[in-house]
Amino acid sequence: MAQQLLMPKATAVWLVDNTALSFDQIAQFCKLHPLEVKAIADGEAAQGIKGLDPIATGQLSRDEIKRGEGDVNYKLKLQEPKVRVPESKRRGPRYTPVSKRQDRPNAILWLVRNHPELKDAQISRLVGTTKSTIEQIRDRTHWNSANLTPMDPVTLGLCSQIDLDLEVERASKGRPLPTAEELGATLQSATETENLGFDYREEREEEKEIDADAVFAKLSSLKSAPRDEEEDDQY
């Protein structure tokens, strides 16, 4: 990776104020246009930018500046850094220890059965496998399919519960909500429940009417009984 200048405009501001380098030299070193460097010198550009000393940052030496000031055609060169920062590696499949690689097919089978919404790339990130292996386990064409047993990858130590939950959440974002048939729901519709409630109220009203008639019948029978007894006494 080619070395790059830190904060080119701030460096150009410092070089304009503190050196006798030409606009072209500063523009070439800072990867700017000569007119932009001229505008910085005239105070028309980079007014709120504080100058950055390239000598203090280790990107330019005093001797290099003197060479440039002595020769207008000289092109300034970046100083070699004293410390090399390693490049960040691209994130690839998760590394699986050799002792646990034999458990990966069981973990893949568990993920395929319990989380069908997961994509092959997500399963590959979780357990560190290849898409061809996942397809073989899905299609039951794996060489050891008969002996595979679904096992939780978190229990096997192939991934953490946080990683698994994160991948499941990502896969479920664009997934439609399950229907009532998928959930096995037995709830009745609103119209049916409303009709049931209406019938129930009618039945209760009928029961109340029947109870009222029965009460009046009992009262009338009680009133008639004493009259019959009085008539019997008279005879």
Side-chain angles (χ1 to χ4, degrees):
M1 181 177 179
Q3 187 184 359
Q4 295 182 355
L5 179 67
L6 298 175
M7 302 178 66
K9 283 191 177 182
T11 303
V13 171
W14 189 92
L15 291 175
V16 168
D17 294 339
N18 297 277
T19 66
L21 296 171
S22 65
F23 293 160
D24 291 335
Q25 287 176 310
I26 297 174
Q28 179 271 328
F29 180 73
C30 298
K31 301 294 187 292
L32 300 174
H33 195 277
L35 293 178
E36 188 173 2
V37 178
K38 184 178 183 300
I40 293 173
D42 295 338
E44 299 174 358
Q47 294 178 359
I49 298 177
K50 185 179 180 180
L52 178 65
D53 186 358
I55 300 174
T57 58
Q59 296 191 103
L60 195 61
S61 63
R62 295 187 182 277
D63 295 337
E64 190 72 8
I65 293 176
K66 289 180 179 180
R67 292 192 190 97
E69 290 174 340
D71 185 1
V72 180
N73 297 322
Y74 183 77
K75 294 182 179 182
L76 300 175
K77 297 178 182 178
L78 279 172
Q79 191 174 1
E80 289 292 328
K82 297 179 180 179
V83 178
R84 290 283 182 181
V85 179
E87 297 182 14
S88 58
K89 297 181 180 179
R90 291 184 179 179
R91 188 175 181 181
R94 182 185 297 274
Y95 173 76
T96 306
V98 178
S99 59
K100 295 182 180 180
R101 289 181 185 178
Q102 60 183 359
D103 296 328
R104 281 190 300 190
N106 295 329
I108 296 170
L109 182 59
W110 187 91
L111 292 171
V112 168
R113 288 188 178 181
N114 292 277
H115 296 288
E117 70 275 10
L118 289 176
K119 298 180 181 179
D120 292 351
Q122 292 178 302
I123 297 175
S124 178
R125 284 197 298 267
L126 287 171
V127 298
T129 185
T130 59
K131 291 186 177 181
S132 60
T133 304
I134 299 172
E135 292 176 357
Q136 291 173 3
I137 294 175
R138 284 185 192 274
D139 302 336
R140 305 294 294 177
T141 57
H142 191 267
W143 65 273
N144 197 27
S145 293
N147 300 321
L148 293 181
T149 304
M151 298 184 71
D152 189 351
V154 177
T155 305
L156 295 173
L158 295 174
C159 67
S160 65
Q161 187 65 49
I162 297 175
D163 293 337
L164 177 59
D165 294 342
L166 181 61
E167 295 295 346
V168 172
E169 183 181 355
R170 288 176 179 173
S172 302
K173 280 185 178 179
R175 193 183 184 190
L177 295 175
T179 60
E181 296 179 356
E182 293 177 350
L183 294 174
T186 57
L187 295 176
Q188 295 179 344
S189 62
T191 55
E192 293 178 355
T193 56
E194 288 176 0
N195 292 333
L196 286 174
F198 181 77
D199 295 340
Y200 177 73
R201 288 193 298 270
E202 287 183 351
E203 290 178 359
R204 291 299 300 271
E205 290 176 359
E206 290 178 359
E207 289 178 0
K208 289 180 180 179
E209 292 177 1
I210 294 171
D211 293 339
D213 294 340
V215 170
F216 286 119
K218 288 181 181 180
L219 291 173
S220 61
S221 62
L222 291 173
K223 290 180 180 179
S224 61
R227 290 179 182 177
D228 295 339
E229 291 178 355
E230 290 177 358
E231 291 177 356
D232 291 340
D233 292 341
Q234 291 176 359
Y235 291 106

